[in-house]
């Protein structure tokens, strides 16, 4: 008999975390492995990939709003029309991504994150992948090179070296980033608040947005907002202890 808004907020937050964290870490690891190679302009590329992380949310959110505008002339819709797909309203769409792809025959329980939430997930991955790459680069620098030399002598190819040396020895770094990213997605507010648009509020409003609305509406209920914040704290604490 709990508050439906709170359950919906946690549902959106969970989907946001489940889709954001693996993509963010996978892209960060891929970039780190590429940037760890002996290539030209390595420092320049590291700076480029890290730049979104230090750019203010207000600026990058405006860029994403323009890229994924509902107008037919937006870059995202132009790309869709080029490959023969209908234009989308993106940040204003509450439809699940699997319903958008496979049609309304998909039940609501299996609809997945809303299309608007998918855009916010892509934004989150774009912003934080560079940070993950920098941390992974530090982890890669701590792996002894002798292990790779011995593996080469034993005939291990590049994939085998990554699978049996790089990935296992990066486990402390991966754990750290998983923990930080999970906590970060459950605490996310600014980017979601800036990117949310009418029509998709309920589909993108995480628990943090509901807490903010409870405290900032025309008749604020500070006690109830504080109670929701303590529940969120408890959920994050339990997830941290489990991890």
């Amino acid at each position: 008999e709990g508050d439906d808004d709170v359950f919906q907020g946690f549902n959106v937050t969970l989907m946001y975390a489940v889709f954001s964290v693996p993509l963010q870490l996978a892209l960060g690891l891929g970039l780190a492995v590429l940037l760890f190679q002996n290539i030209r302009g390595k420092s320049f590329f590291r700076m480029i990939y890290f730049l979104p992380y230090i750019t203010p949310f207000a600026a990058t959110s405006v860029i994403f709003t323009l890229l994924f505008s509902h107008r037919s002339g937006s870059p995202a819709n132009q790309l869709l029309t080029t490959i023969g797909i209908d234009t989308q309203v993106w940040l204003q769409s509450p439809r699940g991504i699997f319903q958008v792809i496979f049609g309304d025959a998909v039940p609501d329980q299996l609809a997945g994150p809303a299309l608007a939430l998918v855009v916010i997930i892509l934004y989150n991955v774009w912003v934080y992948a560079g940070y993950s790459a920098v941390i992974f680069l530090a982890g890669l620098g701590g792996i002894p090179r002798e292990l790779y030399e011995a593996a080469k002598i034993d005939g291990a190819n590049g994939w085998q070296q990554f699978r049996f040396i790089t990935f296992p020895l990066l486990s402390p770094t991966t754990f750290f980033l998983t923990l930080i990213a999970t906590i970060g997605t459950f605490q996310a507010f600014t980017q979601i608040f800036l990117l949310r648009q009418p029509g998709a509020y309920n589909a993108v409003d995480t628990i943090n947005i509901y807490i903010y609305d409870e405290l900032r509406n025309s008749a604020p209920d500070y006690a109830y907002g504080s109670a929701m914040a303590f529940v969120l704290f408890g959920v994050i604490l339990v997830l941290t202890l489990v991890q």
Side-chain angles (χ1 to χ4, degrees), residues 77-159:
N77 277 331
Q78 285 184 341
L79 176 62
L80 290 184
T81 54
T82 301
I83 58 178
I85 301 176
D86 295 336
T87 59
Q88 302 293 328
V89 291
W90 298 108
L91 288 165
Q92 296 182 12
S93 175
R95 295 177 66 205
I97 182 63
F98 298 125
Q99 289 178 330
V100 173
I101 296 174
F102 301 109
D104 292 329
V106 177
D108 292 339
Q109 295 84 353
L110 302 176
L115 183 59
L117 185 62
V118 170
V119 176
I120 299 176
I121 290 171
L122 292 175
Y123 172 85
N124 187 78
V125 172
W126 176 69
V127 168
Y128 289 101
Y131 171 79
S132 299
V134 169
I135 305 299
F136 274 127
L137 280 168
L140 288 170
I143 299 176
R145 307 309 301 170
E146 294 83 0
L147 295 176
Y148 293 104
E149 294 171 2
K152 288 180 181 178
I153 293 174
D154 289 339
N157 56 32
W159 167 247

Side-chain angles (χ1 to χ4, degrees), residues 201-234:
Y201 279 171
N202 190 54
V204 302
D205 285 356
T206 59
I207 186 63
N208 284 296
I209 299 295
Y210 281 115
I211 293 172
Y212 175 83
D213 287 342
E214 191 66 36
L215 298 174
R216 299 293 296 177
N217 60 27
S218 57
D221 189 340
Y222 297 109
Y224 191 58
S226 299
M228 286 195 290
F230 270 99
V231 171
L232 175 61
F233 165 75

Side-chain angles (χ1 to χ4, degrees), residues 141-192:
I143 299 176
R145 307 309 301 170
E146 294 83 0
L147 295 176
Y148 293 104
E149 294 171 2
K152 288 180 181 178
I153 293 174
D154 289 339
N157 56 32
W159 167 247
Q160 291 171 328
Q161 292 177 39
F162 175 81
R163 181 182 174 186
F164 295 109
I165 299 176
T166 305
F167 194 68
L169 293 182
L170 279 178
S171 58
T173 307
T174 306
F175 167 72
F176 167 76
L177 286 172
T178 302
L179 188 63
I180 295 300
T182 302
I183 294 174
T185 51
F186 270 78
Q187 291 180 331
F189 173 79
T190 307
Q191 61 269 42
I192 299 172

Side-chain angles (χ1 to χ4, degrees), residues 38 50 59 64 71 76 116 189 198 200 212 216 230 238:
N38 190 19
F50 192 70
F64 254 69
R71 297 182 177 85
F189 173 79
Y212 175 83
R216 299 293 296 177
F230 270 99
V238 170

